[in-house]
Amino acid sequence: MTLTQIVFWTFSALAVLGAAMCITRRSPVASALWLVQTLFALAALFVVLDAQFVAVLQVLVYAGAIMVLFLFVIMLLNLGRPGPSDLKGPVGLAVATLLGGLLFFQLLRGATPSAAGTPAGDTMAQLQQEQGIVGAVARPLFSQYLIPFEITSVLLLAAIVGAVVLAKRKL
Amino acid sequence: MILDLSSSRDLLLALLPELVLTGWSLVLLLVVAWRHRTVGDLRLTGWVTLAALGSTAAAVWWLWWHTARAAPGPVPVMVAVDDFRFVTDWLFLGAAALTVLLSFDYLEREELLVPEYHVLIVFATLGMMLMGGGEDLMVIFLGLELLSVAVYVLAGINRESASGAEAAFKYFLLGAFASGFLLYGIALVYGATGTTGLRAIGAQIGAGGGGGGGTMLAIGLALLLIGFGFKIAAVPFHTWAPDVYDGSPTPVTAYMASGVKAAAFAALFRVLGEAFPAVAAWHQIVWWLAVATMVVGNLIALAQRTVKRMLAYSSVAHAGYLLVAVAAGPEPGSAAFLFYLVAYTLMTLGAFALLAAKGRHGERDVLIDDLAGLATRHPWLAFALAVCMLSLLGFPGTAGFIGKWYILAAATSAGQGVLATVLVLTSVISAGYYLPVIMAMYMKPEPFAEAHVGMRLGRLGYAVVMVSVAGLLFFGVRPNRLLDLAHTGGVGVQPAPGVPPAAPAVTAAHARTAR
């Protein structure tokens, strides 16, 4: 087993463990903190995949900003105390496990790379050689995906307007 | 006019309608920030919105008139430049304009002095246009989110109303859930093909055949269908629709039942037609969805007693009819699909406009029996409602009939005889809840003298009803122009050349009946 494989399996296990704990804890705060572990483990997996920039973004945006937001909401709504479990008894658990397992094994079977599945020849390492770590993300974002990128700004504006309309004390 | 999308000038031209509408939305926000207190301000923003929608429609017309097309090249296309986009854009803009016209009186009557309402309508329309024109799964997803975020807020815009809050919250939770499915599906399709462009996905699948990516692709496609199924309210993903339609303000319900559904259908049609023509599995899935939606929607609608819930279930049933056109495939189905979408939008908007007229705070629990004797008191309103009901039923002489006829023709020519049979049978069932409305209005006496005193429709509301009814009757008798438009529009989403057309005899039959 190479070092890469050891790192991969360690962080995969941590990510799955964090996800499982996140959905089974009764206290929302504990759930949120387990989610942080999953997000950090995913960031480590991104590094293994040679996607350092995405890993940094993962830590900054998800483990940083979005988790703080979650905790703020939990605090403001005073949800800190453990509530009733969301798990719906043994039948629901069995159905969910069955469906999830089915999806997992189907994906595992399909995850072997195929001729149709590989994008035209350029690997991560090549891209980074040519454009740098940030450039590999930035260039498509501002050329190929420029239009979706701009649409995002309109989407955020709509969300802000909507939030103000619903939350403003007096209209 | 051939637009070379790698030059920024041509790219801006191709996006002209979206840019115009975005610009207007910013203007509108400024107007709202400046004037947002009185009824007059509300009217002002309403008229500005109409101007915005009108000028956007003109921009679409300009592109259509010059038959703008994207030049084939290495640049990945994000937004399609074809007639399908232009036709659906007009449909969305028309639905939005009729909704705005309908809202003038409604907002004043319900004392909803929220000029942001119009801003949100503009944002939602922009999202629809991106969905109808999106040539890339990213654009379609962002358009869907833009549309959804605006409509979640519109559903709950009446903060005094508990049912409005319930509707908004339900719609938000289930909508977010559905978006999750859609996004997961997009991720898996990307994983299997290495691209998010619709035509590129189609090319990859065509080149690679089955192989290891097959399973991942199939799961991705299934998740995509679930996500779209939620948005178009197809059975078994329809459970949110009646409550949300019931609890939202009536003009918003009209907008959701017509425009939002049309946008989701347009995106679904384009995705299936352009990206997955080579995957046979979706025909089977859509077949079952269509049958389940038609049967369940119509049967539950029979049991409803309030008009608004009945219309909500009827809109579920109509999603089933449209799914028949989707199941028939892009080659025979696209023209019938576009035609029915227009007819459906008109009749739904007309019916909800008339429902909105029925008295303050009252339209939520208007029973079908409450319409008794309407024909003697308000003969024109009763006539208009009767036309809408007959068109929803698919009665000859209305656009609904022609639309159903073309869907039937498309389904039979695609070899989907069972679907066509189910469509006819469920339409017969639907008479069981459309006709009682007409019977109540024309054959039953007014229960008491002042039964319909509160019912009034403002001048603009009348305009909406007149446009819908005139459209339904006109296209019911002379559908040729609209059919030609639908035919040219349908060409845009058909699979790229190289894939042989399914049945050339069909188009000839269409052309003959259209003349």
Side-chain angles (χ1 to χ4, degrees):
Chain A
M1 203 185 250
T2 61
L3 183 65
T4 318
Q5 277 176 322
I6 294 172
V7 171
F8 169 77
W9 286 110
T10 315
F11 282 104
S12 302
L14 281 176
V16 173
L17 175 75
M21 295 300 268
C22 171
I23 57 171
T24 48
R25 295 306 88 191
R26 292 198 176 186
S27 155
V29 178
S31 283
L33 292 177
W34 279 109
L35 187 58
V36 175
Q37 176 184 322
T38 304
L39 296 174
F40 266 111
L42 284 182
L45 289 180
F46 286 136
V47 174
V48 175
L49 286 172
D50 268 347
Q52 288 89 345
F53 183 62
V54 181
V56 171
L57 282 188
Q58 168 86 9
V59 173
L60 279 183
V61 176
Y62 285 91
I66 291 183
M67 280 320 299
V68 170
L69 204 67
F70 275 178
L71 289 174
F72 260 129
V73 171
I74 291 171
M75 197 181 74
L76 286 177
L77 297 181
N78 206 7
L79 295 173
R81 280 176 294 280
S85 173
D86 287 333
L87 297 178
K88 297 273 185 263
V91 179
L93 205 64
V95 172
T97 314
L98 186 74
L99 287 179
L102 210 62
L103 189 64
F104 177 71
F105 281 110
Q106 285 290 327
L107 280 180
L108 205 64
R109 215 162 57 96
T112 44
S114 67
T118 42
D122 37 24
T123 59
M124 220 43 211
Q126 265 180 331
L127 268 178
Q128 291 184 358
Q129 281 276 291
E130 288 162 16
Q131 311 191 329
I133 291 176
V134 181
V137 175
R139 261 174 224 282
L141 189 62
F142 288 105
S143 55
Q144 187 185 353
Y145 289 100
L146 179 66
I147 295 171
F149 178 73
E150 296 293 346
I151 297 170
T152 316
S153 64
V154 183
L155 173 60
L156 289 177
L157 183 63
I160 294 172
V161 172
V164 170
V165 168
L166 284 184
K168 201 160 55 167
R169 202 173 293 271
K170 183 176 164 297
L171 286 167
Chain B
M1 184 171 60
I2 300 295
L3 297 172
D4 173 22
L5 296 186
S6 58
S7 88
S8 49
R9 176 182 160 275
D10 283 7
L11 187 63
L12 289 179
L13 275 183
L15 289 171
L16 191 65
E18 281 80 5
L19 290 174
V20 169
L21 198 58
T22 313
W24 273 106
S25 75
L26 299 180
V27 171
L28 206 55
L29 266 180
L30 285 179
V31 172
V32 169
W34 171 47
R35 297 184 56 174
H36 55 95
R37 288 182 208 288
T38 63
V39 173
D41 298 341
L42 194 64
R43 297 205 151 238
L44 175 72
T45 52
W47 289 113
V48 174
T49 311
L50 285 177
L53 297 171
S55 51
T56 312
V60 177
W61 178 83
W62 187 82
L63 283 178
W64 177 77
W65 184 250
H66 291 280
T67 53
R69 294 287 178 275
V75 192
V77 183
M78 283 288 151
V79 175
V81 192
D82 56 22
D83 281 349
F84 186 79
R85 171 179 161 214
F86 303 148
V87 174
T88 51
D89 276 357
W90 276 325
L91 177 68
F92 304 147
L93 291 166
L98 291 177
T99 309
V100 170
L101 281 174
L102 185 60
S103 308
F104 276 105
D105 295 322
Y106 186 88
L107 292 178
E108 281 173 37
R109 202 180 68 200
E110 302 282 326
E111 291 168 2
L112 284 171
L113 296 183
V114 194
E116 286 89 349
Y117 178 92
H118 294 115
V119 182
L120 289 169
I121 293 254
V122 169
F123 279 137
T125 311
L126 188 62
M128 288 177 192
M129 289 169 61
L130 290 169
M131 283 180 79
E135 186 65 51
D136 190 286
L137 288 171
M138 297 290 282
V139 176
I140 291 179
F141 178 74
L142 285 170
L144 180 77
E145 282 302 287
L146 180 56
L147 162 70
S148 304
V149 163
V151 177
Y152 299 147
V153 179
L154 284 174
I157 198 114
N158 187 356
R159 296 193 303 178
E160 313 276 297
S161 140
S163 61
E166 185 198 338
F169 200 63
K170 242 178 208 167
Y171 194 29
F172 171 65
L173 284 184
L174 285 172
F177 198 52
S179 295
F181 273 105
L182 196 70
L183 200 56
Y184 196 11
I186 292 174
L188 288 179
V189 169
Y190 177 74
T193 60
T195 173
T196 52
L198 295 183
R199 298 263 181 209
I201 292 175
Q204 277 278 0
I205 296 173
T215 319
M216 203 196 276
L217 190 74
I219 297 177
L221 178 59
L223 292 174
L224 276 181
L225 282 174
I226 293 177
F228 278 118
F230 264 107
K231 292 292 171 187
I232 60 176
V235 175
F237 314 113
H238 69 292
T239 40
W240 58 273
D243 288 342
V244 172
Y245 285 10
D246 197 23
S248 308
T250 304
V252 177
T253 311
Y255 191 56
M256 284 199 276
S258 56
V260 175
K261 192 170 273 195
F265 260 112
L268 174 67
F269 207 84
R270 193 187 277 281
V271 168
L272 291 180
E274 293 190 354
F276 300 103
V279 183
W282 65 262
H283 286 280
Q284 203 69 32
I285 303 176
V286 172
W287 193 94
W288 281 106
L289 279 181
V291 170
T293 309
M294 284 189 286
V295 172
V296 173
N298 277 307
L299 284 181
I300 303 184
L302 273 182
Q304 304 305 316
R305 293 185 60 235
T306 69
V307 180
K308 204 171 178 183
R309 271 191 101 79
M310 183 273 276
L311 284 175
Y313 276 106
S314 122
S315 106
V316 171
H318 280 269
Y321 305 149
L322 281 162
L323 277 173
V324 173
V326 177
E331 178 59 49
S334 52
F337 170 79
L338 281 177
F339 186 92
Y340 199 77
L341 214 52
V342 174
Y344 167 75
T345 304
L346 283 177
M347 53 209 187
T348 313
L349 272 168
F352 277 111
L354 287 158
L355 183 62
K358 180 81 183 142
R360 185 179 168 146
H361 297 312
E363 82 273 355
R364 189 156 181 249
D365 26 62
V366 175
L367 302 178
I368 292 176
D369 289 339
D370 288 348
L371 295 171
L374 188 68
T376 48
R377 184 68 58 179
H378 296 289
W380 286 108
L381 291 184
F383 171 72
L385 192 53
V387 170
C388 289
M389 288 296 143
L390 288 176
S391 184
L392 284 165
L393 173 59
F395 201 74
T398 59
F401 169 74
I402 307 277
K404 263 187 194 161
W405 176 257
Y406 278 108
I407 289 185
L408 279 177
T412 43
S413 69
Q416 305 277 18
V418 181
L419 272 185
T421 317
V422 175
L423 198 160
V424 173
L425 286 179
T426 48
S427 296
V428 173
I429 295 177
S430 74
Y433 55 90
Y434 290 132
L435 290 185
V437 174
I438 300 175
M439 274 159 61
M441 290 190 301
Y442 280 92
M443 296 179 187
K444 288 186 185 161
E446 249 179 301
F448 51 95
E450 275 93 39
H452 302 301
V453 165
M455 179 144 182
R456 53 171 278 278
L457 204 57
R459 233 180 312 153
L460 297 170
Y462 257 115
V464 174
V465 172
M466 261 166 56
V467 168
S468 334
V469 170
L472 288 177
L473 292 177
F474 180 75
F475 293 134
V477 183
R478 290 185 57 84
N480 306 10
R481 294 294 293 278
L482 186 58
L483 262 175
D484 289 347
L485 198 64
H487 266 290
T488 54
V491 174
V493 286
Q494 282 162 12
V499 183
V506 184
T507 32
H510 267 294
R512 216 177 319 117
T513 35
R515 292 291 161 262

